[in-house]
Amino acid sequence: MDLNGSQMVIEALRREDVKTVFGYPGGAIMNVYDEIYKQNDFEHILTRHEQAAIHAADGYARASGDVGVAFVTSGPGFTNAVTGLANAYIDSIPMVVISGQVPITMIGTDAFQEIDAVGISRPCVKHNYLVKDVKDLPRILKEAFYIARSGRPGPVHVDIPKDVTAQSAKFVYTESITMKTYKPTYKGNKRQIKKVVDAIADADKPILYIGGGAVNSNASELVREFAKVTGIPAVETLMARGVLGDDNPLLLGMVGMHGCYSANMGMSEADLMIAFGPRFDDRVTGKLSEFAKHAKVIHVDIDPSSIGKIVDIDYPIVGDLKNVLTDMLPLVKEKIDSKKYQSWRDLLKRYDEIHPLGYSDDKGNIKPQWVIARVGELLGDKAIISTDVGQHQMWTAQFYPFSRPRQFVTSGGLGTMGFGFPAAIGVKKAKPEKISINISGDGSILMNIQELMTAYESKIPVINIILNNGYLGMVRQWQTFFYDKRYASTDLSGAQPDFVKLAESFGGLGFRVETKEEFDEALEKAVKSNVVCMIDVNVDRLEDVLPMVPAGGTLYNMILEHKG
Amino acid sequence: MATTTQNNDIRRVLSVIVTNEDGVLSRISGLFAGRGYNIDSLTVAPVPKTDFSRLTIVTCGNEKVLEQIVKQLHKLIPTYKVIESGEFVEKEMALVKIPLDEDFNGLDAMLKAYNGTIANSGADFIVVMVADNAKRIDNFLQAINKYNPVDIVRSGSVAMDV
Ligand SMILES: Cc1ncc(C[n+]2csc(CCOP(=O)(O)OP(=O)(O)O)c2C)c(N)n1
Ligand SMILES: [Mg+2]
């Protein structure tokens, strides 16, 4: 079958069973858009900024586990997309992003809207391609999807010159694919797995350190079983929230800079750390020389380069966590007696009683934490929660009762303000039966505010809850603690939009909330409205995210109290 | 092949087999630059009768860094193989241009000692070439200084595992 380059793109998406794509057109990608117009296999959502298109595809991928797809044009279209690529790359999110490029005959001439796109995206993607010959395009598209979703997932960028999108060639799209130079390891080494089980059986104070890999591997059922069988207390990273489920008695909570006291103490005092797919981010480890000082470390990860990168590993296992746990569980059941760790569990429980995660509620002011907990009470599992970046993000991670993985969509590694709203748009397209909520800040929400138009036009009823503290709150918090309260460029209270009118002017609904009753009412109306909403909640301005491990500090030295 | 230098950095020769395709060299050099790894020398050429290229990279760093370099190289999609250990035959070439008005006393003996020859001779200069391991090339270039060379070109190491 002969197809032109644009038709090849459409056909490849059809074969990959893509149902929704996000994008923004322009000169170099117009041939492809012309074919998008002619087809009915997938829906194209026009965002109002390319960054938002990539974040929406990213949110779609996080909520569904499928590959997210986005289109942008050359030059500024592509450069606008770069933050989105970097964001997905560092969080290991499977995506295929297709950009237009100037015709091959013009590459290298500084043509109109020409930029070295693959040169720019190279450090922000798992792999990229500049398509030089239309004959290669089917293979490249096949590889792009395969690479994006296999091994450690990640975004793949395909840059297609305009002339290639018009030229024709034979379309051969194989069912399966093998690549000579890319063969991820899925099976863990059996002997090593045995050794690991013995090490666990020998330990007195083991701790389970669960990372985003557990989500990507779709291994949460097995991780839950592992925890249950062994009785080993567990911590989750930001990326792993929901893996064990909020009501799991073994879950101490989130670990790291804003992790809870018992989780961080557990990490510090353990004699064996069992790491399932985390990447030892500095926001988790704190000062490395003090991290897991008394512990032997087991690390299961599908990416060999992740193992031993930050922390020396005593028991490395390269493999897909799901496979490794499938092999490990029978041995675990045979050899490990959960009673052995009772006193360790008791100790950690005591830690939790001494310094539980909490906040002091207030009758007058709405506390931001209250809002999150309240959304959790009212919507619980019915909602998927995206966030922007800042204090509101950390409070969401701490206080929302996540009951399953993929229920929390947040920018972990890059910490991208502006991620939440477009991501929540992607989430809603992936899981239309769920309520898609973006918990945002008065700073972050303005970084992709134009997506109100997308959400309105494409009937994607995202509910934005703005925890409005009139500050770039997270930066303000650091200024309070470490800069003698010199609030350089963080006070936003002097100039704020009227978020209600703003939402209305885009065709959505806006609510201004000053009291708890008003919040309940607004949320109820928003859920029923079926249109994009903004709930602007006036919250206590100077609340801090606690506990806090200062950057580079040790996990067991947490700041536990507000600095008045 | 590893030797330790003063600051505990280990010199290492890596032989990397990659798909011979556009942009592969910039993936590798970008990886080194982006992660702050050292490149002492780098050579590239196609592997005959295949669609692969071989890069010979001489790098240095501590054990942990070198382990990461190898893993990160593996992680690149076009990387087929990274050969890092075992025995290598390692050779580097150098070209040296010397003005004809120098006194060439002893040059012949020196060239002999380093497998060298005279590669070219013109109206004003001669060009000598030597091929040897990198350390010996260092020594040769030290010694040849006495003839006041006006230009020196080193090829970077190539290596073959044996
Ligand atoms: C694109 C981008 N720019 C800057 C930052 C640095 N930064 C991190 S949190 C933050 C404040 C966010 O303010 P807001 O959205 O109001 O959230 P709050 O912390 O007040 O809840 C800033 C500026 C960032 N993470 N991302
Ligand atoms: Mg704020």
Side-chain angles (χ1 to χ4, degrees):
Chain A
M1 166 170 61
D2 265 21
L3 295 178
N4 70 32
S6 304
Q7 292 163 337
M8 286 177 178
V9 171
I10 306 302
E11 187 56 27
L13 263 54
R14 205 172 65 75
R15 307 238 181 149
E16 297 293 343
D17 207 23
V18 173
K19 293 285 171 245
T20 308
V21 305
F22 305 87
Y24 208 101
I29 193 95
M30 280 184 71
N31 290 334
V32 177
Y33 268 82
D34 196 42
E35 293 300 330
I36 292 177
Y37 184 85
K38 293 177 196 161
Q39 59 79 46
N40 278 316
D41 294 316
F42 58 84
E43 182 186 12
H44 176 275
I45 306 288
L46 174 69
T47 57
R48 293 307 193 269
H49 191 295
E50 287 87 353
Q51 183 190 352
I54 314 297
H55 288 332
D58 180 325
Y60 186 97
R62 289 184 206 233
S64 66
D66 298 334
V67 179
V69 180
F71 289 96
V72 298
T73 192
S74 70
F78 170 74
T79 53
N80 273 348
V82 173
T83 302
L85 290 173
N87 186 74
Y89 182 49
I90 196 158
D91 282 348
S92 307
I93 304 303
M95 256 172 24
V96 171
V97 173
I98 295 175
S99 58
Q101 181 56 280
V102 301
I104 285 178
T105 48
M106 294 173 79
I107 286 182
T109 65
D110 300 317
F112 178 63
Q113 295 193 329
E114 180 187 358
I115 195 77
D116 175 10
V118 286
I120 292 174
S121 71
R122 194 171 297 125
C124 317
V125 294
K126 184 171 174 185
H127 196 49
N128 63 13
Y129 297 88
L130 169 60
V131 185
K132 290 239 176 116
D133 186 334
V134 70
K135 289 206 256 340
D136 297 331
L137 185 54
R139 172 187 57 84
I140 287 174
L141 291 166
K142 180 78 207 173
E143 287 182 5
F145 277 92
Y146 170 63
I147 290 170
R149 67 162 74 93
S150 59
R152 179 178 184 170
V156 178
H157 167 216
V158 184
D159 197 34
I160 315 181
K162 188 166 185 178
D163 43 3
V164 173
T165 64
Q167 290 153 2
S168 293
K170 202 163 157 210
F171 183 83
V172 191
Y173 206 80
T174 51
E175 247 327 289
S176 67
I177 183 173
T178 51
M179 292 173 69
K180 238 195 246 174
T181 62
Y182 171 71
K183 295 187 191 305
T185 309
Y186 292 107
K187 276 283 192 191
N189 181 302
K190 283 257 165 75
R191 232 189 295 144
Q192 188 74 344
I193 290 174
K194 253 202 198 118
K195 268 209 233 160
V196 159
V197 176
D198 290 339
I200 299 171
D202 283 345
D204 295 314
K205 300 193 280 179
I207 194 140
L208 196 52
Y209 164 29
I210 305 168
V215 178
N216 275 336
S217 159
N218 294 314
S220 70
E221 284 311 319
L222 293 170
V223 176
R224 286 177 189 201
E225 193 180 342
F226 178 92
K228 190 165 173 198
V229 170
T230 60
I232 295 175
V235 304
E236 288 175 350
T237 66
L238 181 73
M239 297 303 293
R241 298 297 281 137
V243 168
L244 282 191
D246 184 60
D247 56 358
N248 195 310
L250 290 162
L251 178 63
L252 300 168
M254 186 166 72
V255 65
M257 181 174 271
H258 296 297
C260 63
Y261 184 77
S262 58
N264 285 349
M265 291 308 285
M267 291 288 271
S268 302
E269 295 187 1
D271 65 355
L272 181 72
M273 185 176 285
I274 307 163
F276 285 164
R279 58 186 192 88
F280 297 81
D281 184 272
D282 52 271
R283 288 302 196 248
V284 164
T285 63
K287 189 174 181 181
L288 278 174
S289 57
E290 292 295 310
F291 178 74
K293 213 174 172 180
H294 314 290
K296 296 255 186 232
V297 185
I298 298 163
H299 188 185
V300 185
D301 205 292
I302 198 159
D303 176 5
S305 76
S306 194
I307 296 178
K309 183 177 66 176
I310 310 288
V311 168
D312 291 333
I313 303 299
D314 302 282
Y315 303 94
I317 297 181
V318 177
D320 185 334
L321 182 59
K322 204 171 178 176
N323 293 331
V324 172
L325 280 173
T326 304
D327 290 343
M328 196 186 283
L329 273 167
L331 298 173
V332 165
K333 284 177 189 161
E334 188 184 308
K335 289 195 179 165
I336 289 168
D337 178 6
S338 70
K339 285 199 238 32
K340 183 175 180 196
Y341 316 122
Q342 189 57 48
S343 57
W344 170 232
R345 285 191 296 266
D346 291 344
L347 174 69
L348 294 172
K349 197 162 171 219
R350 250 188 331 273
Y351 282 143
D352 196 49
E353 284 158 9
I354 299 169
H355 294 296
L357 185 68
Y359 64 99
S360 40
D361 205 5
D362 191 333
K363 268 230 145 64
N365 275 328
I366 299 184
K367 295 282 182 177
Q369 300 95 325
W370 176 86
V371 178
I372 289 153
R374 187 69 184 151
V375 178
E377 274 167 36
L378 294 174
L379 303 181
D381 187 40
K382 291 202 287 260
I384 297 179
I385 309 292
S386 305
T387 74
D388 269 303
V389 171
Q391 293 183 306
H392 61 273
Q393 173 190 33
M394 291 299 121
W395 285 319
T396 307
Q398 291 177 329
F399 290 97
Y400 198 92
F402 295 107
S403 54
R404 55 183 182 80
R406 302 191 184 282
Q407 196 190 356
F408 181 41
V409 171
T410 200
S411 169
L414 201 66
T416 312
M417 289 171 68
F419 171 77
F421 188 10
I425 288 175
V427 165
K428 185 69 187 176
K429 290 310 293 184
K431 298 280 170 197
E433 72 282 7
K434 297 284 180 186
I435 300 164
S436 180
I437 303 239
N438 171 37
I439 295 182
S440 186
D442 46 323
S444 297
I445 191 66
L446 291 181
M447 283 209 180
N448 266 317
I449 192 70
Q450 76 287 340
E451 295 313 308
L452 279 168
M453 205 70 270
T454 308
Y456 173 77
E457 181 193 48
S458 297
K459 303 193 168 49
I460 306 170
V462 169
I463 301 172
N464 292 286
I465 299 174
I466 303 169
L467 300 183
N468 194 336
N469 51 12
Y471 277 119
L472 297 174
M474 186 56 94
V475 183
R476 192 279 308 151
Q477 176 172 342
W478 284 47
Q479 289 167 333
T480 303
F481 280 100
F482 312 120
Y483 292 86
D484 254 339
K485 304 190 181 174
R486 290 185 300 277
Y487 295 139
S489 301
T490 47
D491 190 340
L492 303 180
S493 62
Q496 291 237 335
D498 181 330
F499 284 109
V500 174
K501 284 190 194 148
L502 183 63
E504 285 168 1
S505 76
F506 280 90
L509 275 183
F511 305 88
R512 175 112 184 109
V513 167
E514 310 275 354
T515 66
K516 290 179 175 176
E517 295 70 45
E518 284 172 4
F519 180 76
D520 283 6
E521 219 175 282
L523 186 62
E524 197 188 331
K525 278 188 191 154
V527 169
K528 284 194 183 134
S529 75
N530 246 341
V531 67
V532 61
C533 290
M534 301 260 260
I535 306 178
D536 178 15
V537 189
N538 194 3
V539 297
D540 192 335
R541 290 198 70 199
L542 288 170
E543 193 67 19
D544 292 319
V545 182
L546 295 171
M548 177 181 195
V549 178
T554 57
L555 278 188
Y556 53 83
N557 269 328
M558 283 158 271
I559 300 172
L560 293 158
E561 284 181 17
H562 292 272
K563 193 165 175 180
Chain B
M1 193 183 296
T3 46
T4 311
T5 59
Q6 298 101 320
N7 49 353
N8 271 334
D9 273 1
I10 305 163
R11 174 184 189 271
R12 185 154 297 169
V13 179
L14 301 173
S15 194
V16 189
I17 313 292
V18 298
T19 312
N20 185 1
E21 64 187 19
D22 289 342
V24 66
L25 185 56
S26 62
R27 285 184 209 285
I28 301 222
S29 59
L31 166 65
F32 275 74
R35 292 188 184 264
Y37 304 146
N38 297 307
I39 299 183
D40 290 341
S41 79
L42 186 158
T43 63
V44 205
V47 179
K49 294 189 212 128
T50 69
D51 42 13
F52 290 119
S53 284
R54 176 190 298 267
L55 288 92
T56 308
I57 303 173
V58 181
T59 181
C60 61
N62 62 34
E63 264 312 327
K64 205 169 165 130
V65 168
L66 291 172
E67 186 187 322
Q68 262 302 303
I69 291 177
V70 171
K71 285 178 168 178
Q72 293 292 341
L73 283 168
H74 267 298
K75 194 170 166 178
L76 295 175
I77 306 289
T79 302
Y80 180 58
K81 236 195 308 198
V82 181
I83 307 159
E84 51 163 327
S85 54
E87 284 295 298
F88 279 118
V89 176
E90 183 197 340
K91 291 288 172 204
E92 178 170 6
M93 198 183 98
L95 298 171
V96 180
K97 192 191 272 180
I98 304 171
L100 269 181
D101 50 16
E102 288 293 321
D103 175 4
F104 287 147
N105 205 354
L107 180 65
D108 258 355
M110 193 191 294
L111 288 177
K112 222 179 206 154
Y114 287 95
N115 296 322
T117 56
I118 295 178
N120 200 347
S121 126
D124 303 318
F125 302 98
I126 62 163
V127 176
V128 303
M129 60 165 273
V130 290
D132 214 322
N133 71 44
K135 189 84 202 134
R136 299 231 335 135
I137 295 282
D138 287 347
N139 295 343
F140 172 78
L141 294 178
Q142 199 69 40
I144 202 83
N145 259 334
K146 94 175 195 216
Y147 300 106
N148 299 309
V150 295
D151 200 5
I152 295 173
V153 176
R154 294 180 73 148
S155 66
S157 289
V158 292
M160 181 183 272
D161 47 313
V162 291

